[in-house]
Amino acid sequence: MKTADPELMRAINRFHVLDTIRRAGAISRVEIGEYTQLSATTISAITGALIEDELITPHHEGDLRSSGTGRGRPRVKLTLNAGAARVVGAKIATNGLAFVVSDFEGQPLAELKLPLRADRLALAVLADLVEDGVRRCVHDAGLTLGEINSVALALPGVIEHGSGRVRSSPIFRDTDVQLTETIGQRLGVPTIAESDANAVALGEHWFGRARDCDDFLVVAVENGLGLAVMHGGQLFRGARELSLDLGQMMLGGQDGSYHRLLDLAGDDAILCGGQGDIRLREAVHLGRPMTHVRRLIEQGNPDLAQAVHRAGEALGIAIANLVGLFAPPRVILAGANLALGPHLLDPLRTSFDRSVTPSLREISEIIIDEAGDELWARGAAAVALGELYGSPWGSTGPALRTMTGLARAGE
Amino acid sequence: MKTADPELMRAINRFHVLDTIRRAGAISRVEIGEYTQLSATTISAITGALIEDELITPHHEGDLRSSGTGRGRPRVKLTLNAGAARVVGAKIATNGLAFVVSDFEGQPLAELKLPLRADRLALAVLADLVEDGVRRCVHDAGLTLGEINSVALALPGVIEHGSGRVRSSPIFRDTDVQLTETIGQRLGVPTIAESDANAVALGEHWFGRARDCDDFLVVAVENGLGLAVMHGGQLFRGARELSLDLGQMMLGGQDGSYHRLLDLAGDDAILCGGQGDIRLREAVHLGRPMTHVRRLIEQGNPDLAQAVHRAGEALGIAIANLVGLFAPPRVILAGANLALGPHLLDPLRTSFDRSVTPSLREISEIIIDEAGDELWARGAAAVALGELYGSPWGSTGPALRTMTGLARAGE
DNA sequence: CATATTTGTCCTGATTGCGTATTAAGTACG
DNA sequence: CGTACTTAATACGCAATCAGGACAAATATG
C-alpha cells in the first residue's frame, strides 16, 4: 500500500503539469490550471521549478500577436524543453529490431531498423544485437551514449516491468531471462523492459490513435498475441507487475476440442498452412511473411486462406471476450499481422459482431492501426520518458530521483 | 485525472490507518506505524482525530498484562468503535434476498434471509421487497432506519457503481434501471449498488478466504457469471465504473460452433437438462435448484450429469483464460452453484489444468468457497463501510463528507 | 497618454508530514 | 521501597504543499 507524503503529492502534481504541457505542446499557465484544476499559485510554483530545472521553456516571444481576445497581458506559452533528456526506445520482435532515439518531447531524433530473424535466441546473442543497434542509432542522432538518460526495451511475451525480467517470450529460448540487467550493464545506461503491447499502447496514447482517450485496449497481433489495458490513463499491470498475455486464451467447445488462441491466430498457425511454398519460407526468413501470405492468398492458396480466416474468427471472439470483460470505449488492433488485410479483418469483424454482447457493440469501437514499427519504438521511448517524467504511479521508484539528478546535472 | 492536495493526502493516510486497525482488530500505534510506514507522530495525529471523532477507541485497560517483553511503557491498543456507524448490506439474487445489518467493524448485528424467486421483476416490485427486507432486518437489530448510515445492494449483472444504475441483470426485466435512486428514496438512506461478484470479493477480503491477499480474482457462479478483480487491495472497475461480467465470454471452436459461457454454465443451461422432472421445477421455485440437481445426478440422471459436466468444463476454461490474463495468485470460486459439488468441480479442475498455461498452474491457487449468502451480504455491507471509511479512491466523493458529518453529529 | 483587462507572482494563512526532544507509564533490580 | 531503565506516545520546530488575495507586468483600447 502506498502511503502519502508531501513528496508524493508534489510528484503527482508535477507529473500532471508536465503531462499537460506535453499533451498540449504549447500552453499557458492559466490553461494548465483549467485542465488540471490546480490553483494558479501552485501552477506557478511547479512551472517555476520546471523552468529552473530546464525541463520546460517559456516563450514570451511575440509569436502569437493575435491571441484572440487580445486584451490584457498576453499569455506566456510553455513548452517542453526538447533537449532536457534523450531516451532510446527499442522494439524487439522476431522479424527484426527497431530503434528510436527521441528527445524529451518524444519526437524522434533518429530511427533505425534492423530486419533480421530474432527467434529463440540466447540472451547474449540478443544483447549483442540490441547493444549494437542502440549504439548505432545513438550515433546516427549525433549523440553519444553518455547523453542518453534511459533505454526502454519492448518485446513480446510476459514481461515483469518492475524487475525487468522476461518470464517468457518468443524471442528467447530460455525462460526467466534477466534482460534489463544484462543490457543495462553493457550500455551503462538505465534500462527498463516492457511488453510490446504496453509499449504500443503508450505509443497510441501519446502519438497515435488514442490521444483523446484514457481508456482503451490494445491487441498486438504479431509473434505472440499481446494485450494492453489502458485504464484511466495508466497501464494496467497484472498482479506482479506482469504484462498481460492474450495468446493463452482458450477457445474450444464442448466436443473436447480445445485450442489456444495462439494456436489458432499465432504466426505459426497461419504459416503452417503454406509450408510447402519456398518463397514463403524465404519471406519468413526476411521477416515479412504476412505480406507474402496475403499475396499467396490472393493468388488462390486455399490452405492459407482458410488458416487466416480461422485466425480472424478466433481473434474476433477473443476481442469480443475482452470487450465483454472490460467494456472499453476503444479497442486498437496493431501489429505486423494486420498486413493480411481483409483476409484477416473481415472474418474478425464478422465473428466479433456475432460474439460481442449487443449492448456493447456500439459502445466499443474497433480501430485498426497499421502503424509501423516506429510507433512501437516510440512507444517504448514513451515508456522511458514516462518514468523520467516522474510518474508517481510507476512502481520503479528511482525514476524520480533519476530525473532530479538529471536536472541537477543540468544546472 | 486526480489532483493531489493536502486533503487528499490526509484522506489517504487516514484511510490506511483506519483500514489497518480494522484488519488487526486491536493494534497499538507503533504497530500501525510498522504496517503503514507512517511516522509515529503522524499516526498519533491521525489516531487522535479518529478518537476525537469516536471512530476508534483506545484501550489502556490492563487487558494484556503479559505483553511479552513487558519492559517499558505498555502499548495502548486501539480498536474500531463498533458503534460508530451501522450499515445494511443486501444480496439480491434470483433465489432470494439476504440482508445484514452490520456495525462499523463489519460484524453482523442482524441477518435476514428471504428465500423467494426474484426473477425478471419490475423495478417497483423489487424495490418493495428490498425496502421491506431492509426495514425488517433493521428492526431485528433493534435499530431504526434513522440510525443506518448507508445501504449497499449487491446484485448480479452489469452494475455501474458510480451512478447506481443497473445496466443489465437477471433480476430485472428491463435494462438501465435506476436502482439506488429508487430504493434510496424509499428508505431515505444513502444507497449504493455493486455487482454481487465485487461484493463477495470484498467479503472475502475482509472476512473470508482472502484476508491475507491483496490480489485475487473472484468468480461468482450463480444466476449469471460474475467476475471481480481485486488488484492491490482495490476492486478493479471497468472503464465507466462498470462491473465486469464473465457470462458473455465466448467459447467456441473452429467448426463454427460458438457458445457463450452463460449458455454452457449458466443456470438455465444446467437446468434445461432436467426440465421433465416435476420436483426439480419445484426446487427451482424454492430457490435451491442445484442441491436437487445434485441429488438427481447421484440418482443417475444422465442429461443433468452431462449438462453439469459441460458447465464445469466450460468454467475451467474460462478461469484458465482469466488466469492467463491476470496471473493472480489466488482465484476464489463462490456461489450457490457450487452446491453441485464434485459433479461440477471435478471437470472444472480437469479442464482448468488442461487449459492453463503450465507456468501459471503453480502460481495461481484455486479456492472453492461454499460460504453462504451471509458472506455476500456482509461483503455488500463492507462496500458501504468502505465508502464510509473515506476511501480516497472510491470515486464517490461525498462519502468522506458523509463520515465527517456523521462524526460531527456524534460530538 | 491614461485606463481597462488579463496574466503571472508574491505574501499570508492553514494544513500536512517528518524529526527530535520531552513526557508518560510501566518493569527490573538493588 | 525507591531508583534506573525501557518503551510508548506526544509536544514542538521545520519544511513543504495548496488556496486566497493583493500587487506588479504587459498589452489593447479610448
Side-chain angles (χ1 to χ4, degrees):
Chain A
M1 286 258 195
K2 219 167 217 168
T3 156
D5 52 21
E7 191 180 344
L8 177 69
M9 183 167 67
R10 199 188 73 202
I12 291 174
N13 288 338
R14 193 180 153 115
F15 178 80
H16 276 152
V17 169
L18 210 44
D19 195 57
T20 305
I21 295 174
R22 178 189 66 74
R23 287 194 193 206
I27 189 173
S28 69
R29 293 174 175 83
V30 271
E31 288 168 294
I32 296 175
E34 285 165 19
Y35 280 114
T36 62
Q37 298 292 348
L38 262 50
S39 82
T41 166
T42 302
I43 310 273
S44 229
I46 291 175
T47 53
L50 292 174
I51 291 171
E52 173 98 3
D53 291 351
E54 296 183 350
L55 299 183
I56 63 173
T57 326
H59 290 271
H60 16 47
E61 321 305 329
D63 298 279
L64 306 175
R65 290 264 158 200
S66 56
S67 37
T69 56
R71 272 292 251 269
R73 177 176 174 176
R75 306 179 166 184
V76 177
K77 298 278 187 183
L78 304 172
T79 62
L80 290 186
N81 178 10
R86 286 148 304 273
V87 298
V88 179
K91 178 197 179 186
I92 302 173
T94 55
N95 64 339
L97 310 181
F99 301 89
V100 156
V101 177
S102 112
D103 61 19
F104 195 59
E105 282 179 328
Q107 297 306 318
L109 301 175
E111 301 187 9
L112 175 65
K113 284 197 199 180
L114 297 180
L116 52 85
R117 188 132 183 88
D119 210 358
R120 312 229 159 256
L121 299 177
L123 173 57
V125 178
L126 184 80
D128 277 344
L129 291 171
V130 170
E131 184 188 350
D132 186 54
V134 169
R135 286 184 188 277
R136 227 191 289 181
C137 197
V138 168
H139 181 79
D140 290 351
L143 299 168
T144 66
L145 261 183
E147 296 172 287
I148 300 298
N149 298 90
S150 180
V151 175
L153 310 172
L155 67 167
V158 180
I159 320 293
E160 213 175 272
H161 175 66
S163 66
R165 266 171 56 192
V166 177
R167 287 292 185 103
S168 69
S169 171
I171 300 293
F172 288 114
R173 194 188 307 149
D174 307 318
T175 56
D176 263 325
V177 176
Q178 274 287 359
L179 180 63
T180 61
E181 207 176 284
T182 311
I183 293 188
Q185 261 180 359
R186 293 186 184 222
L187 294 173
V189 175
T191 304
I192 53 182
E194 185 59 274
S195 88
D196 57 354
N198 278 344
V200 74
L202 211 56
E204 298 285 359
H205 196 216
W206 280 38
F207 317 111
R209 313 287 283 269
R211 264 170 298 188
D212 55 333
C213 184
D214 278 346
D215 295 280
F216 61 96
L217 257 50
V218 172
V219 177
V221 286
E222 63 174 65
N223 34 277
L225 296 161
L227 170 66
V229 177
M230 182 73 76
H231 180 238
Q234 299 168 52
L235 287 173
F236 177 83
R237 295 202 174 92
R240 302 176 196 73
E241 294 276 308
L242 249 55
S243 61
L244 309 176
D245 183 61
L246 199 54
Q248 303 303 322
M249 182 179 278
M250 273 289 199
L251 303 175
Q254 56 234 13
D255 49 351
S257 70
Y258 300 92
H259 295 276
R260 288 192 195 285
L261 184 59
L262 203 59
D263 300 333
L264 291 169
D267 286 13
D268 295 343
I270 293 171
L271 295 177
C272 75
Q275 288 239 325
D277 190 89
I278 297 171
R279 299 187 50 192
L280 178 56
R281 249 183 282 166
E282 234 171 69
V284 168
H285 214 73
L286 290 172
R288 292 236 156 273
M290 292 308 165
T291 49
H292 194 73
V293 168
R294 178 170 184 176
R295 203 174 314 143
L296 287 176
I297 291 175
E298 282 160 7
Q299 285 166 6
N301 184 318
D303 291 346
L304 284 174
Q306 199 195 337
V308 170
H309 189 88
R310 267 210 307 250
E313 276 190 338
L315 276 173
I317 297 174
I319 294 171
N321 286 345
L322 294 174
V323 168
L325 280 178
F326 295 104
R330 195 172 295 176
V331 179
I332 299 176
L333 278 174
N337 291 11
L338 295 180
L340 291 166
H343 307 293
L344 182 78
L345 296 177
D346 287 348
L348 189 156
R349 283 189 198 279
T350 306
S351 87
F352 173 81
D353 283 340
R354 193 166 27 176
S355 308
V356 74
T357 318
S359 65
L360 292 175
R361 194 178 302 153
E362 292 97 43
I363 291 180
S364 290
E365 56 171 339
I366 294 189
I367 290 182
I368 314 295
D369 186 9
E370 301 202 43
D373 295 338
E374 304 85 20
L375 186 72
W376 299 52
R378 289 184 75 191
V383 171
L385 287 175
E387 306 271 328
L388 231 53
Y389 277 26
S391 161
W393 311 283
S395 49
T396 45
L400 199 141
R401 244 166 287 144
T402 303
M403 177 159 77
T404 55
L406 169 164
R408 290 284 141 69
E411 284 180 342
Chain B
M1 289 258 195
K2 220 167 215 169
T3 159
D5 51 21
E7 190 180 345
L8 176 68
M9 187 164 65
R10 202 189 75 199
I12 291 174
N13 289 336
R14 190 178 155 118
F15 177 80
H16 276 152
V17 170
L18 209 45
D19 194 57
T20 305
I21 297 174
R22 177 189 66 75
R23 289 195 193 204
I27 189 172
S28 68
R29 293 175 176 80
V30 270
E31 289 169 293
I32 297 175
E34 285 165 19
Y35 280 115
T36 61
Q37 299 292 347
L38 261 48
S39 82
T41 168
T42 303
I43 309 273
S44 229
I46 292 175
T47 53
L50 292 173
I51 291 171
E52 172 96 4
D53 292 352
E54 295 182 350
L55 300 183
I56 64 174
T57 327
H59 292 270
H60 15 46
E61 321 306 329
D63 298 277
L64 305 176
R65 289 267 158 198
S66 56
S67 37
T69 56
R71 283 281 259 270
R73 176 174 175 177
R75 305 178 168 186
V76 176
K77 299 277 188 185
L78 304 172
T79 63
L80 289 186
N81 178 9
R86 289 147 303 272
V87 299
V88 179
K91 178 196 180 189
I92 303 172
T94 54
N95 63 339
L97 310 182
F99 301 88
V100 157
V101 176
S102 117
D103 61 21
F104 195 58
E105 283 178 330
Q107 298 305 319
L109 301 176
E111 301 187 9
L112 175 66
K113 283 196 200 182
L114 297 179
L116 51 85
R117 188 133 183 86
D119 209 0
R120 314 231 155 252
L121 300 177
L123 173 58
V125 178
L126 184 80
D128 277 343
L129 292 171
V130 170
E131 183 187 351
D132 187 53
V134 169
R135 285 184 189 278
R136 230 192 286 182
C137 198
V138 168
H139 182 78
D140 290 351
L143 299 169
T144 65
L145 261 182
E147 296 171 287
I148 300 297
N149 297 90
S150 181
V151 175
L153 310 172
L155 67 165
V158 179
I159 319 294
E160 214 175 272
H161 175 68
S163 66
R165 267 171 56 192
V166 177
R167 287 291 185 101
S168 68
S169 171
I171 300 294
F172 288 115
R173 193 188 308 147
D174 307 318
T175 56
D176 265 324
V177 176
Q178 275 287 359
L179 180 64
T180 61
E181 206 175 286
T182 311
I183 294 188
Q185 261 181 0
R186 292 185 186 222
L187 294 173
V189 175
T191 304
I192 55 182
E194 185 59 274
S195 86
D196 58 354
N198 278 343
V200 74
L202 211 56
E204 298 285 359
H205 195 216
W206 280 39
F207 316 111
R209 312 288 282 270
R211 264 171 297 187
D212 55 333
C213 184
D214 277 347
D215 294 280
F216 61 95
L217 256 50
V218 172
V219 177
V221 285
E222 62 174 67
N223 34 276
L225 296 162
L227 170 66
V229 177
M230 182 73 75
H231 180 240
Q234 300 168 50
L235 287 173
F236 177 83
R237 295 202 175 92
R240 301 177 197 71
E241 295 273 308
L242 249 56
S243 60
L244 309 176
D245 184 59
L246 200 54
Q248 303 304 321
M249 182 179 279
M250 272 290 199
L251 302 175
Q254 55 235 11
D255 51 348
S257 70
Y258 301 93
H259 296 276
R260 287 191 197 286
L261 184 58
L262 203 59
D263 299 334
L264 292 169
D267 285 12
D268 295 343
I270 293 172
L271 295 177
C272 74
Q275 288 240 323
D277 189 270
I278 297 172
R279 298 186 49 195
L280 178 57
R281 248 181 284 167
E282 236 170 67
V284 168
H285 214 74
L286 291 173
R288 292 237 157 270
M290 292 308 163
T291 49
H292 194 73
V293 168
R294 179 172 185 175
R295 202 175 315 144
L296 287 176
I297 290 175
E298 282 158 10
Q299 286 168 5
N301 184 318
D303 291 347
L304 284 175
Q306 198 194 338
V308 170
H309 188 87
R310 265 209 308 249
E313 277 191 337
L315 276 174
I317 298 175
I319 293 171
N321 284 346
L322 294 173
V323 168
L325 279 178
F326 294 105
R330 196 172 294 177
V331 179
I332 299 176
L333 279 174
N337 291 12
L338 295 180
L340 292 167
H343 308 293
L344 182 79
L345 296 178
D346 288 346
L348 189 155
R349 283 189 198 279
T350 307
S351 87
F352 173 80
D353 284 339
R354 190 164 30 173
S355 308
V356 74
T357 319
S359 65
L360 292 175
R361 194 178 303 151
E362 291 95 45
I363 291 181
S364 289
E365 56 171 340
I366 295 189
I367 289 182
I368 314 294
D369 185 9
E370 301 203 43
D373 294 339
E374 305 83 20
L375 186 72
W376 299 53
R378 288 183 74 190
V383 171
L385 287 174
E387 307 270 328
L388 233 51
Y389 277 27
S391 162
W393 310 283
S395 48
T396 45
L400 199 140
R401 242 166 289 146
T402 304
M403 178 160 75
T404 54
L406 169 165
R408 289 283 143 68
E411 287 179 341

